[in-house]
Amino acid sequence: MPIGHPRGPPYNEFMITELGHFCLILAFLTACFQAIVPLIGAHNRWQGWMMSAVPAATLQFLLTLTAFGALTVAFIGSDFSVRLVVLNSHSVKPMLYKITGVWGNHEGSMLLWVLIVTLFGGFVAWFGSALPDSLRARVLSVQGAIAVAFFAFILFSSNPFLRMAVPPFDGQDLNPLLQDPGLAFHPPFLYLGYVGLSMSYSFAVAALIEGRIDAAWGRWVRPYTLAAWIFLTIGIGLGSWWAYYELGWGGFWFWDPVENASFMPWLLATALLHSAIVVEKRESLKSWTILLAIIAFGFSMIGAFITRSGVITSVHAFAADPERGVFLLAILAFFMLAGLTLFAARAFEMQAKGVFGIVSRESVLVLNNVLLAVAAFVVFVGTIWPLVSELFFDRKLSVGAPFFNLAFTPFMVVLGLILPVGAIFPWKRARLQRSLRPLAPAFVLSVAVAVLIWAMQTERSALGPIGFFLGAWLVSGAVVDLMTRTGRGGGRLGRLRRLPRADWGKAVAHAGLGVTMAGVAGLLAWEAEDIRVAQVGERFEVAGYGLTLRSVREIEGPNYVAVQADVALDRAGVGFTVLQPEKRIYPVAGMPTTEAAIDNGFFRDVYVVIGDPQDDGGWVVRTYYKPFANWIWGGAILMALGGALSLSDRRYRVAAGAKKTQAKAVAAK
């Protein structure tokens, strides 16, 4: 096609797109270099070869960033000579969704995936000077090998820079469900978590190759795992929030396969964080921690396979291409087999040094790990069982929320019970009665909260009281944990302020889990639902709130048309707000979406959805009363904040470097 074709891109945009494609190929070649040369250098102790990993990781990131930027320019400029832009954009789409359209599809999301792989490798290159040179070289080589696999996947089966032979005048638009602020930011955070676990895998494999797993290794791997866990927590929270208000069902979690694909790595990453603490503090659980690091990244790749292979149906899977699924399955098999083979070969060298009693913090952390790992396995079985049933038994079935709630909930209940106990137990050996004495007020408070909830509720369901007991237990246990670290006597407030940020982070994260547990239990126990045909001007009541359908009209958005209703909300006849739910139609995509209107409150949400018109002139109106809904996401924010506080602890930045400096000084003497 000539450059001057009226439907072709401007010359500058054409060149930028080609530059992006060229940089992607160069990044692939750089990753090949990074995967091989530093590894050979570390084996032979060739300093120059080992140090080549640092500029290679930097160059690889910059090249990938340039490729990603070029694709973003193509979307912003509506370059319809690029096939991906045609399939996922439109000239009248709002600018925010033009940008987010870059990763709102399979090819662009995989480019974002590999960009984050190179970003984490860059962090080790830029801030890993405290690491031994041989370990850093091996870590970057493994990270480079991961990048090689995904660059190959992109270039040979999912190239985002493919051209159209005859560019159309306009695009086919992005999936309307993805044209939402929640989904605009959900994938990047989720990928930062998913892909961040590749760093834990790289550290684990590098340590296996080097034959050195000690307390220093535990300290080095924890910040990267913690960063991945924080991003994964935020990403899952954003996805849950989006499902709640966008899909119009009033639910925050449906145990959808794609939801499970992100939840399983989160459970394993949580276990990995706790086991790495034992490696760092006591040099125990080495084998288990290495195994968790390998499996956690494996589950993140299983998530990529589930969302892109089409083997399992989901409302928000990216692609359904068996050929791509086989490619991803091959990548998963290679890295899992490589990691587990190394693990088996080195298992005899990972001897635990620290010994501990049955009643100790180590024992509680072991139980914590077992609960999280088994819970992840339960979710995995429930997610893939429909596929197994169809392949081997020729039976089509679905595994829904009843199975997951019944099989998964007991593990979380036990986990909630033991977390405050483990936080307050000393290392190595604890006296049960003496250690539990400070938690007695927290336990009494939690029981009181549960009894109060039981007395207040109208239906005799145990879900609400149990959930609020666990929530109060975790929050009050976190407070007790902080207070016990300040000692006795005067000046406790000052000592509390001087506690390490990691201690504050642990307490805030545990309290956040308690808030989320209470929110989930309260919502499921006491939610109310009303579906009716309402006439304009009609008033009806739901859970003590009055709703009046005042009017319904058609409106026009930038790239959609919608039916919008005015629903007045009152309490005991006193009005206090007007909700405006919408039902949108995107003409280009030909797809409707539901835009719920929600009156948010600290203790409850009132959630209204407008449906289809009826023959008698009425409209279908769905109303949900959602108690404690916002506690779910408030708890997620607290968990992420707790992780960020721990990550900001200066001991992560200083101690490892001090250890290396000390080691060099000893070597010099």
Side-chain angles (χ1 to χ4, degrees):
M1 181 198 69
I3 297 299
H5 193 284
R7 287 177 289 175
Y11 182 76
N12 288 341
E13 287 185 13
F14 184 90
M15 292 303 296
I16 289 173
T17 303
E18 291 305 309
L19 173 65
H21 194 182
F22 182 64
C23 285
L24 190 62
I25 296 170
L26 286 180
F28 172 56
L29 297 176
T30 306
C32 293
F33 173 90
Q34 181 180 323
I36 297 170
V37 174
L39 195 62
I40 296 173
H43 179 74
N44 293 290
R45 301 294 174 180
W46 296 341
Q47 188 68 22
W49 287 42
M50 286 192 289
M51 295 307 297
S52 69
V54 173
T58 302
L59 178 61
Q60 186 188 159
F61 168 70
L62 293 175
L63 289 169
T64 311
L65 181 64
T66 303
F68 189 83
L71 186 63
T72 304
V73 168
F75 270 84
I76 292 174
S78 295
D79 181 358
F80 296 121
S81 71
V82 179
R83 180 176 179 273
L84 194 66
V85 178
V86 173
L87 296 177
N88 296 279
S89 191
H90 193 272
S91 58
V92 298
K93 191 167 66 171
M95 181 56 69
L96 172 64
Y97 303 128
K98 284 187 178 183
I99 296 172
T100 58
V102 177
W103 56 78
N105 56 81
H106 168 71
E107 292 84 353
S109 69
M110 291 311 302
L111 185 56
L112 176 62
W113 178 291
V114 80
L115 174 64
I116 296 171
V117 170
T118 63
L119 174 63
F120 273 89
F123 280 140
V124 174
W126 307 325
F127 307 111
S129 58
L131 297 172
D133 293 336
S134 60
L135 179 63
R136 180 163 67 161
R138 289 185 169 111
V139 167
L140 289 174
S141 283
V142 177
Q143 194 74 0
I146 295 171
V148 167
F150 283 99
F151 277 126
F153 176 66
I154 292 173
L155 289 170
F156 299 126
S157 72
S158 307
N159 195 330
F161 294 105
L162 294 180
R163 295 284 188 173
M164 299 290 291
V166 180
F169 282 104
D170 221 325
Q172 299 177 17
D173 208 357
L174 180 68
N175 183 341
L177 287 175
L178 304 181
Q179 296 188 41
D180 179 88
L183 256 253
F185 302 106
H186 161 66
F189 278 106
L190 204 59
Y191 285 4
L192 283 165
Y194 263 154
V195 184
L197 291 175
S198 66
M199 208 70 255
S200 304
Y201 175 89
S202 296
F203 267 96
V205 171
L208 288 172
I209 295 172
E210 190 154 304
R212 177 186 173 185
I213 298 114
D214 54 15
W217 178 89
R219 183 176 292 271
W220 289 325
V221 77
R222 274 185 66 198
Y224 295 100
T225 306
L226 183 56
W229 182 87
I230 292 169
F231 289 125
L232 203 50
T233 302
I234 296 171
I236 291 173
L238 283 172
S240 172
W241 179 55
W242 168 81
Y244 174 69
Y245 72 79
E246 175 65 24
L247 297 182
W249 302 337
F252 65 95
W253 193 265
F254 304 100
W255 294 107
D256 179 87
V258 174
E259 294 173 340
N260 296 347
S262 60
F263 191 47
M264 291 182 289
W266 184 87
L267 291 170
L268 293 169
T270 306
L272 175 59
L273 278 175
H274 289 84
S275 65
I277 294 172
V278 183
V279 174
E280 177 188 347
K281 302 292 186 182
R282 302 288 301 146
E283 292 208 35
S284 297
L285 300 187
K286 293 180 182 179
S287 299
W288 173 246
T289 304
I290 292 289
L291 185 61
L292 269 180
I294 295 170
I295 294 177
F297 179 56
F299 269 86
S300 74
M301 289 193 289
I302 288 173
F305 172 73
I306 287 174
T307 55
R308 289 168 172 82
S309 62
V311 297
I312 295 177
T313 303
S314 166
V315 296
H316 48 290
F318 267 118
D321 188 336
E323 182 181 342
R324 290 170 174 171
V326 171
F327 204 135
L328 284 169
L329 199 59
I331 295 174
L332 168 65
F334 174 79
F335 284 104
M336 286 300 96
L337 285 174
L340 294 175
T341 300
L342 269 172
F343 175 78
R346 295 285 194 178
F348 68 94
E349 298 180 8
M350 293 182 283
Q351 299 297 325
K353 293 184 179 179
V355 294
F356 52 88
I358 295 177
V359 181
S360 63
R361 183 179 296 188
E362 292 94 327
S363 294
V364 177
L365 287 172
V366 169
L367 180 57
N368 161 293
N369 271 232
V370 170
L371 290 169
L372 288 167
V374 175
F377 179 73
V378 167
V379 176
F380 176 68
V381 170
T383 303
I384 68 163
W385 189 250
L387 176 63
V388 173
S389 176
E390 186 172 354
L391 284 177
F392 296 103
F393 305 110
D394 197 26
R395 292 179 57 192
K396 289 189 176 182
L397 54 84
S398 61
V399 178
F403 165 80
F404 288 107
N405 291 337
L406 183 64
F408 179 80
T409 303
F411 296 104
M412 293 299 101
V413 171
V414 177
L415 183 68
L417 287 172
I418 68 168
L419 274 183
V421 176
I424 208 167
F425 269 9
W427 295 102
K428 195 173 181 180
R429 186 174 291 107
R431 290 184 179 180
L432 189 62
Q433 185 176 357
R434 181 178 179 181
S435 298
L436 291 180
R437 190 178 299 125
L439 285 172
F443 183 79
V444 172
L445 174 64
S446 304
V447 171
V449 170
V451 171
L452 176 65
I453 295 298
W454 178 264
M456 293 173 60
Q457 69 178 16
T458 55
E459 298 181 6
R460 302 186 68 81
S461 167
L463 180 62
I466 290 175
F468 270 80
F469 167 78
L470 290 174
W473 173 241
L474 283 165
V475 173
S476 57
V479 173
V480 170
D481 178 35
L482 286 175
M483 296 307 297
T484 55
R485 295 177 184 279
T486 62
R488 297 181 180 180
R492 296 185 71 177
L493 187 60
R495 291 196 294 273
L496 190 65
R497 287 199 303 266
R498 292 192 296 271
L499 283 177
R501 291 182 186 176
D503 290 343
W504 276 100
K506 178 184 68 173
V508 171
H510 287 183
L513 179 61
V515 172
T516 294
M517 282 185 169
V520 170
L523 190 151
L524 295 178
W526 303 309
E527 65 181 338
E529 177 182 352
D530 179 89
I531 303 176
R532 67 175 65 223
V533 176
Q535 301 291 331
V536 174
E538 178 183 350
R539 182 182 182 276
F540 56 94
E541 289 195 0
V542 178
Y545 289 88
L547 297 100
T548 304
L549 180 61
R550 285 185 177 177
S551 63
V552 182
R553 60 189 175 276
E554 291 189 358
I555 63 171
E556 186 172 340
N559 62 334
Y560 62 85
V561 293
V563 171
Q564 185 183 78
D566 284 343
V567 180
L569 189 62
D570 68 78
R571 188 72 184 265
V574 179
F576 56 87
T577 191
V578 176
L579 301 177
Q580 294 183 317
E582 296 179 10
K583 186 170 184 178
R584 295 179 179 177
I585 299 289
Y586 290 77
V588 176
M591 182 177 175
T593 65
T594 299
E595 300 295 322
I598 306 173
D599 181 61
N600 299 110
F602 184 77
F603 292 108
R604 59 90 188 120
D605 281 355
V606 178
Y607 183 111
V608 181
V609 176
I610 188 70
D612 296 323
Q614 303 299 299
D615 294 337
D616 61 356
W619 292 82
V620 174
V621 178
R622 300 201 308 274
T623 308
Y624 303 91
Y625 171 73
K626 298 288 184 180
F628 302 102
N630 290 307
W631 288 32
I632 299 172
W633 303 290
I637 292 171
L638 284 174
M639 283 189 275
L641 177 62
L645 282 172
S646 294
L647 191 61
S648 67
D649 194 317
R650 64 187 300 271
R651 292 178 298 175
Y652 284 130
R653 302 188 300 273
V654 174
K659 177 170 285 193
K660 184 182 177 186
T661 303
Q662 184 180 6
K664 285 186 176 180
V666 171
K669 289 181 182 179

Short mmCIF file of all heavy atoms in Angstrom, two decimals, residues 526-554:
data_model
loop_
_atom_site.label_atom_id
_atom_site.label_comp_id
_atom_site.label_asym_id
_atom_site.label_seq_id
_atom_site.Cartn_x
_atom_site.Cartn_y
_atom_site.Cartn_z
N TRP A 526 -26.49 -11.00 55.03
CA TRP A 526 -27.62 -10.09 55.22
C TRP A 526 -28.01 -9.31 53.97
O TRP A 526 -28.80 -8.37 54.05
CB TRP A 526 -27.28 -9.11 56.35
CG TRP A 526 -26.95 -9.81 57.62
CD1 TRP A 526 -27.68 -10.78 58.24
CD2 TRP A 526 -25.78 -9.63 58.42
NE1 TRP A 526 -27.05 -11.22 59.37
CE2 TRP A 526 -25.87 -10.52 59.53
CE3 TRP A 526 -24.66 -8.80 58.34
CZ2 TRP A 526 -24.90 -10.61 60.51
CZ3 TRP A 526 -23.70 -8.87 59.32
CH2 TRP A 526 -23.82 -9.77 60.40
N GLU A 527 -27.49 -9.67 52.80
CA GLU A 527 -27.89 -8.95 51.60
C GLU A 527 -29.36 -9.23 51.27
O GLU A 527 -29.92 -10.27 51.63
CB GLU A 527 -27.00 -9.33 50.41
CG GLU A 527 -27.13 -10.76 49.97
CD GLU A 527 -26.20 -11.09 48.82
OE1 GLU A 527 -25.80 -10.15 48.11
OE2 GLU A 527 -25.89 -12.27 48.62
N ALA A 528 -29.99 -8.28 50.59
CA ALA A 528 -31.38 -8.42 50.16
C ALA A 528 -31.46 -8.08 48.69
O ALA A 528 -30.73 -7.21 48.19
CB ALA A 528 -32.29 -7.52 50.99
N GLU A 529 -32.39 -8.74 47.97
CA GLU A 529 -32.54 -8.55 46.53
C GLU A 529 -34.01 -8.37 46.18
O GLU A 529 -34.88 -9.04 46.75
CB GLU A 529 -31.97 -9.76 45.80
CG GLU A 529 -32.12 -9.72 44.28
CD GLU A 529 -31.59 -10.97 43.61
OE1 GLU A 529 -30.96 -11.79 44.30
OE2 GLU A 529 -31.81 -11.12 42.39
N ASP A 530 -34.27 -7.46 45.26
CA ASP A 530 -35.65 -7.22 44.81
C ASP A 530 -35.64 -7.01 43.31
O ASP A 530 -34.89 -6.16 42.80
CB ASP A 530 -36.22 -5.98 45.51
CG ASP A 530 -37.64 -5.68 45.07
OD1 ASP A 530 -38.58 -6.22 45.69
OD2 ASP A 530 -37.82 -4.92 44.09
N ILE A 531 -36.43 -7.80 42.58
CA ILE A 531 -36.57 -7.66 41.13
C ILE A 531 -38.04 -7.47 40.83
O ILE A 531 -38.88 -8.30 41.21
CB ILE A 531 -36.02 -8.89 40.38
CG1 ILE A 531 -34.55 -9.13 40.75
CG2 ILE A 531 -36.17 -8.71 38.87
CD1 ILE A 531 -33.97 -10.38 40.12
N ARG A 532 -38.38 -6.38 40.15
CA ARG A 532 -39.79 -6.09 39.88
C ARG A 532 -39.93 -5.26 38.62
O ARG A 532 -38.95 -4.70 38.11
CB ARG A 532 -40.40 -5.34 41.05
CG ARG A 532 -39.83 -3.93 41.23
CD ARG A 532 -40.55 -3.16 42.32
NE ARG A 532 -40.34 -3.78 43.63
CZ ARG A 532 -41.33 -3.93 44.51
NH1 ARG A 532 -42.56 -3.51 44.21
NH2 ARG A 532 -41.08 -4.47 45.69
N VAL A 533 -41.16 -5.19 38.13
CA VAL A 533 -41.52 -4.26 37.06
C VAL A 533 -42.13 -3.04 37.72
O VAL A 533 -43.16 -3.14 38.39
CB VAL A 533 -42.51 -4.89 36.07
CG1 VAL A 533 -42.94 -3.86 35.03
CG2 VAL A 533 -41.89 -6.09 35.38
N ALA A 534 -41.47 -1.89 37.57
CA ALA A 534 -41.92 -0.66 38.22
C ALA A 534 -42.43 0.33 37.18
O ALA A 534 -41.83 0.47 36.10
CB ALA A 534 -40.78 -0.03 39.02
N GLN A 535 -43.51 0.98 37.49
CA GLN A 535 -44.04 2.05 36.64
C GLN A 535 -43.39 3.38 37.02
O GLN A 535 -42.97 3.57 38.17
CB GLN A 535 -45.56 2.16 36.83
CG GLN A 535 -46.33 0.89 36.50
CD GLN A 535 -46.30 0.55 35.03
OE1 GLN A 535 -46.22 1.43 34.17
NE2 GLN A 535 -46.39 -0.75 34.71
N VAL A 536 -43.29 4.29 36.07
CA VAL A 536 -42.76 5.61 36.36
C VAL A 536 -43.66 6.28 37.40
O VAL A 536 -44.89 6.31 37.26
CB VAL A 536 -42.68 6.46 35.08
CG1 VAL A 536 -42.26 7.90 35.42
CG2 VAL A 536 -41.71 5.85 34.10
N GLY A 537 -43.06 6.77 38.47
CA GLY A 537 -43.80 7.37 39.57
C GLY A 537 -44.11 6.42 40.70
O GLY A 537 -44.56 6.85 41.77
N GLU A 538 -43.85 5.14 40.52
CA GLU A 538 -44.16 4.14 41.55
C GLU A 538 -43.06 4.11 42.61
O GLU A 538 -41.86 4.16 42.30
CB GLU A 538 -44.30 2.76 40.91
CG GLU A 538 -44.59 1.65 41.90
CD GLU A 538 -44.65 0.27 41.25
OE1 GLU A 538 -44.66 0.21 40.01
OE2 GLU A 538 -44.69 -0.73 41.99
N ARG A 539 -43.50 3.97 43.88
CA ARG A 539 -42.55 3.84 45.00
C ARG A 539 -42.64 2.43 45.56
O ARG A 539 -43.73 1.86 45.69
CB ARG A 539 -42.87 4.86 46.10
CG ARG A 539 -41.89 4.82 47.28
CD ARG A 539 -42.29 5.83 48.37
NE ARG A 539 -41.34 5.83 49.48
CZ ARG A 539 -41.38 4.98 50.50
NH1 ARG A 539 -42.33 4.05 50.55
NH2 ARG A 539 -40.48 5.06 51.48
N PHE A 540 -41.49 1.86 45.92
CA PHE A 540 -41.45 0.54 46.55
C PHE A 540 -40.31 0.53 47.57
O PHE A 540 -39.45 1.41 47.57
CB PHE A 540 -41.27 -0.57 45.51
CG PHE A 540 -40.07 -0.42 44.63
CD1 PHE A 540 -38.86 -1.04 44.95
CD2 PHE A 540 -40.12 0.36 43.48
CE1 PHE A 540 -37.74 -0.90 44.15
CE2 PHE A 540 -39.00 0.51 42.66
CZ PHE A 540 -37.80 -0.12 43.00
N GLU A 541 -40.33 -0.46 48.45
CA GLU A 541 -39.35 -0.51 49.53
C GLU A 541 -38.51 -1.78 49.45
O GLU A 541 -39.01 -2.85 49.11
CB GLU A 541 -40.04 -0.43 50.90
CG GLU A 541 -40.63 0.93 51.21
CD GLU A 541 -40.97 1.08 52.68
OE1 GLU A 541 -40.75 0.12 53.45
OE2 GLU A 541 -41.45 2.18 53.07
N VAL A 542 -37.22 -1.63 49.78
CA VAL A 542 -36.29 -2.75 49.85
C VAL A 542 -35.41 -2.54 51.08
O VAL A 542 -34.71 -1.51 51.18
CB VAL A 542 -35.41 -2.85 48.58
CG1 VAL A 542 -34.42 -3.99 48.71
CG2 VAL A 542 -36.26 -3.01 47.34
N ALA A 543 -35.45 -3.48 52.02
CA ALA A 543 -34.60 -3.47 53.22
C ALA A 543 -34.68 -2.14 53.97
O ALA A 543 -33.67 -1.62 54.44
CB ALA A 543 -33.16 -3.77 52.84
N GLY A 544 -35.89 -1.59 54.05
CA GLY A 544 -36.08 -0.36 54.82
C GLY A 544 -35.83 0.92 54.04
O GLY A 544 -35.97 2.01 54.59
N TYR A 545 -35.45 0.83 52.78
CA TYR A 545 -35.22 2.00 51.94
C TYR A 545 -36.34 2.11 50.90
O TYR A 545 -36.77 1.10 50.32
CB TYR A 545 -33.87 1.92 51.22
CG TYR A 545 -32.69 2.10 52.14
CD1 TYR A 545 -32.13 1.02 52.80
CD2 TYR A 545 -32.14 3.37 52.36
CE1 TYR A 545 -31.05 1.18 53.67
CE2 TYR A 545 -31.07 3.54 53.22
CZ TYR A 545 -30.54 2.45 53.86
OH TYR A 545 -29.48 2.63 54.71
N GLY A 546 -36.80 3.34 50.67
CA GLY A 546 -37.82 3.58 49.65
C GLY A 546 -37.18 4.01 48.35
O GLY A 546 -36.24 4.81 48.34
N LEU A 547 -37.69 3.48 47.25
CA LEU A 547 -37.18 3.83 45.91
C LEU A 547 -38.35 4.23 45.03
O LEU A 547 -39.39 3.56 45.02
CB LEU A 547 -36.43 2.66 45.28
CG LEU A 547 -35.17 2.20 46.01
CD1 LEU A 547 -35.48 0.96 46.85
CD2 LEU A 547 -34.05 1.88 45.03
N THR A 548 -38.17 5.32 44.28
CA THR A 548 -39.21 5.81 43.38
C THR A 548 -38.62 5.99 41.99
O THR A 548 -37.62 6.72 41.82
CB THR A 548 -39.78 7.16 43.86
OG1 THR A 548 -40.25 7.02 45.20
CG2 THR A 548 -40.91 7.61 42.95
N LEU A 549 -39.21 5.30 41.00
CA LEU A 549 -38.76 5.45 39.61
C LEU A 549 -39.38 6.73 39.07
O LEU A 549 -40.55 6.77 38.68
CB LEU A 549 -39.20 4.24 38.79
CG LEU A 549 -38.78 4.25 37.31
CD1 LEU A 549 -37.26 4.28 37.16
CD2 LEU A 549 -39.37 3.04 36.59
N ARG A 550 -38.59 7.80 39.03
CA ARG A 550 -39.11 9.10 38.62
C ARG A 550 -39.25 9.23 37.11
O ARG A 550 -40.28 9.71 36.61
CB ARG A 550 -38.18 10.21 39.13
CG ARG A 550 -38.30 10.49 40.62
CD ARG A 550 -37.42 11.67 40.98
NE ARG A 550 -37.55 12.03 42.38
CZ ARG A 550 -36.83 13.01 42.95
NH1 ARG A 550 -35.94 13.70 42.22
NH2 ARG A 550 -36.99 13.29 44.23
N SER A 551 -38.23 8.81 36.37
CA SER A 551 -38.27 8.99 34.92
C SER A 551 -37.28 8.06 34.25
O SER A 551 -36.34 7.56 34.90
CB SER A 551 -37.94 10.45 34.55
OG SER A 551 -36.63 10.78 34.94
N VAL A 552 -37.49 7.85 32.94
CA VAL A 552 -36.56 7.07 32.11
C VAL A 552 -36.42 7.81 30.80
O VAL A 552 -37.41 8.22 30.19
CB VAL A 552 -37.08 5.64 31.86
CG1 VAL A 552 -36.06 4.86 31.03
CG2 VAL A 552 -37.35 4.91 33.18
N ARG A 553 -35.18 8.00 30.34
CA ARG A 553 -34.94 8.76 29.11
C ARG A 553 -33.76 8.18 28.35
O ARG A 553 -32.98 7.41 28.91
CB ARG A 553 -34.67 10.22 29.44
CG ARG A 553 -33.46 10.41 30.34
CD ARG A 553 -33.31 11.85 30.84
NE ARG A 553 -32.21 11.97 31.79
CZ ARG A 553 -32.33 11.69 33.09
NH1 ARG A 553 -33.49 11.29 33.58
NH2 ARG A 553 -31.29 11.81 33.89
N GLU A 554 -33.64 8.57 27.11
CA GLU A 554 -32.50 8.16 26.29
C GLU A 554 -31.44 9.27 26.31
O GLU A 554 -31.78 10.45 26.22
CB GLU A 554 -32.93 7.87 24.86
CG GLU A 554 -33.80 6.63 24.72
CD GLU A 554 -34.04 6.26 23.26
OE1 GLU A 554 -33.55 7.00 22.37
OE2 GLU A 554 -34.71 5.24 23.02
#
